[in-house]
Amino acid sequence: MRDARPTVSVVVPVFNSALILPLLVQRLEPVLAACASQAELVLVNDGSEDRSWDVIRDLAQRHAWIRGICLMRNYGQHNALLCGIRAARYDVIITMDDDLQHPPEEIPKLLRTLEEGYDVVYGVPQSEAHDFWRRVASSVIKLALRGAMGVRVARSVSAFRAFRSRVRDAFGEYRGPFVCIDVLLSWGTTRFAAVPVAHHPRALGTSTYTFGKLIAHALNMLTGFSVLPLRLASGIGFGFVLFGIGILAYVLIRYLTLGTSVPGFPFLASALAIFSGVQLFVLGIIGEYLARMYFRMMERPTSVVRETIGFEGEASYERSAALRSTLPS
């Protein structure tokens, strides 16, 4: 009898998690054995400064279902995820963090929801184990995602997600240096869902995501995958045109009714400062988009692979045009 359980690839970006990885594998193994007919774990070392790659190699040598990719340097979480997603072999791809804040035991819940006809399912924390500023930054990112993705579930995104591997066909040829997996997923489907899951404190160490990095990521999403800032700039410009017309009408009416113009240098200086500030703001937004075009023209890769383990004899890995371009010659 054919096994009705799905085949599952778990992709985990790794950064300075040498001490956590054995525990992650220990908890993942029984979960995947119970809910998947075939499974693999793809660990992507994103330029770690500790012994993470040594640990990945050791795990891959001891477990045939584990494969490892070591990137040349730190490219960022989403770039590392994209590399691992392109290397995944099975029908369902699950992404999760390496710090065990996403409990592996919640994976079956994502898979059950996926079987209801969705293409992407997010595991939304019931209560996040983050500090106040991290929660504020996460809220800003979700607002930015709503503008970039254009789907309602954007407010519920998380790094704990399951999706059908065929969705990646929509971004198989993506080459931009700025990557946002959630936006790329929205290029392939609108069938999104979200389910509540547990969210645990980080097992070891501290997060490398600072408030500033999260805000910068939100700005990258808005200017890299959405025209919302340009529309905002147009709206602000139009609003201040109306404001300027109102000032002109006030000056003319005062002159015609009272025979005097509006007195005082402060009024003129304030008006000039406002309009100059708006112009610089709009030019700054346009400059961000020009910078994105410039980086695209440079054709910088999303990531470059230094070394792999567990891919020996895997023709599918070498055949992937998207991943082949990242392999060292």
Side-chain angles (χ1 to χ4, degrees), residues 34-84:
C35 67
S37 60
Q38 288 182 289
E40 67 174 351
L41 172 61
V42 180
L43 298 170
V44 184
N45 180 42
D46 189 24
S48 297
E49 299 169 351
D50 62 359
R51 295 185 59 257
S52 291
W53 179 239
D54 294 333
V55 173
I56 292 172
R57 282 193 298 187
D58 180 62
L59 289 170
Q61 289 169 354
R62 290 191 289 114
H63 301 276
W65 60 283
I66 297 179
R67 304 193 294 166
I69 301 173
C70 183
L71 301 184
M72 293 286 288
R73 65 173 180 83
N74 180 261
Y75 289 90
Q77 181 186 40
H78 286 256
N79 295 59
L81 270 175
L82 181 58
C83 182

Side-chain angles (χ1 to χ4, degrees), residues 36-322:
S37 60
Q38 288 182 289
E40 67 174 351
L41 172 61
V42 180
L43 298 170
V44 184
N45 180 42
D46 189 24
S48 297
E49 299 169 351
D50 62 359
R51 295 185 59 257
S52 291
W53 179 239
D54 294 333
V55 173
I56 292 172
R57 282 193 298 187
D58 180 62
L59 289 170
Q61 289 169 354
R62 290 191 289 114
H63 301 276
W65 60 283
I66 297 179
R67 304 193 294 166
I69 301 173
C70 183
L71 301 184
M72 293 286 288
R73 65 173 180 83
N74 180 261
Y75 289 90
Q77 181 186 40
H78 286 256
N79 295 59
L81 270 175
L82 181 58
C83 182
I85 288 169
R86 285 171 168 166
R89 297 178 294 179
Y90 294 136
D91 295 335
V92 175
I93 299 174
I94 294 173
T95 67
M96 59 190 301
D97 289 343
D98 60 353
D99 54 10
L100 287 175
Q101 287 189 313
H102 303 144
E105 293 76 15
E106 297 282 31
I107 287 177
K109 188 181 295 185
L110 299 183
L111 295 177
R112 285 194 298 268
T113 306
L114 199 68
E115 288 302 313
E116 295 176 6
Y118 296 102
D119 292 322
V120 182
V121 177
Y122 288 102
V124 183
Q126 295 170 339
S127 59
E128 293 186 332
H130 294 316
D131 58 31
F132 172 75
W133 289 111
R134 176 68 184 270
R135 290 195 297 269
V136 169
S138 296
S139 298
V140 173
I141 284 182
K142 289 175 181 178
L143 287 173
L145 272 173
R146 180 63 187 271
M149 293 175 66
V151 294
R152 184 176 301 176
V153 80
R155 296 293 298 272
S156 301
V157 301
S158 77
F160 194 26
R161 54 176 87 80
F163 59 93
R164 303 185 189 279
S165 60
R166 60 176 176 263
V167 177
R168 68 182 169 188
D169 293 341
F171 52 88
E173 299 301 318
Y174 179 76
R175 289 292 181 275
F178 302 102
V179 178
C180 177
I181 296 299
D182 303 297
V183 176
L184 295 181
L185 290 173
S186 71
W187 290 4
T189 185
T190 57
R191 295 182 178 181
F192 290 83
V195 294
V197 297
H199 191 261
H200 297 167
R202 185 179 174 91
L204 292 170
T206 58
S207 173
T208 57
Y209 266 115
T210 63
F211 178 79
K213 287 182 178 179
L214 290 170
I215 295 300
H217 179 57
L219 293 176
N220 279 334
M221 283 189 297
L222 279 177
T223 56
F225 299 96
S226 170
V227 295
L228 182 62
L230 288 176
R231 290 175 178 170
L232 175 64
S234 298
I236 292 175
F238 181 73
F240 275 91
V241 167
L242 296 179
F243 178 64
I245 293 174
I247 292 177
L248 177 62
Y250 171 69
V251 171
L252 291 175
I253 291 173
R254 181 183 176 93
Y255 179 76
L256 294 174
T257 56
L258 300 179
T260 59
S261 60
V262 178
F265 174 77
F267 176 83
L268 179 62
S270 299
L272 287 174
I274 291 173
F275 284 104
S276 299
V278 171
Q279 288 176 339
L280 291 174
F281 175 73
V282 172
L283 286 174
I285 291 178
I286 295 173
E288 284 291 325
Y289 279 89
L290 288 174
R292 295 291 182 268
M293 294 172 61
Y294 171 70
F295 285 124
R296 286 287 182 90
M297 292 174 64
M298 290 174 64
E299 296 186 351
R300 290 170 53 190
T302 56
S303 60
V304 179
V305 175
R306 179 188 299 276
E307 184 180 351
T308 64
I309 187 168
F311 291 92
E312 295 78 8
E314 296 286 348
S316 59
Y317 180 76
E318 296 295 339
R319 269 203 314 268
S320 170

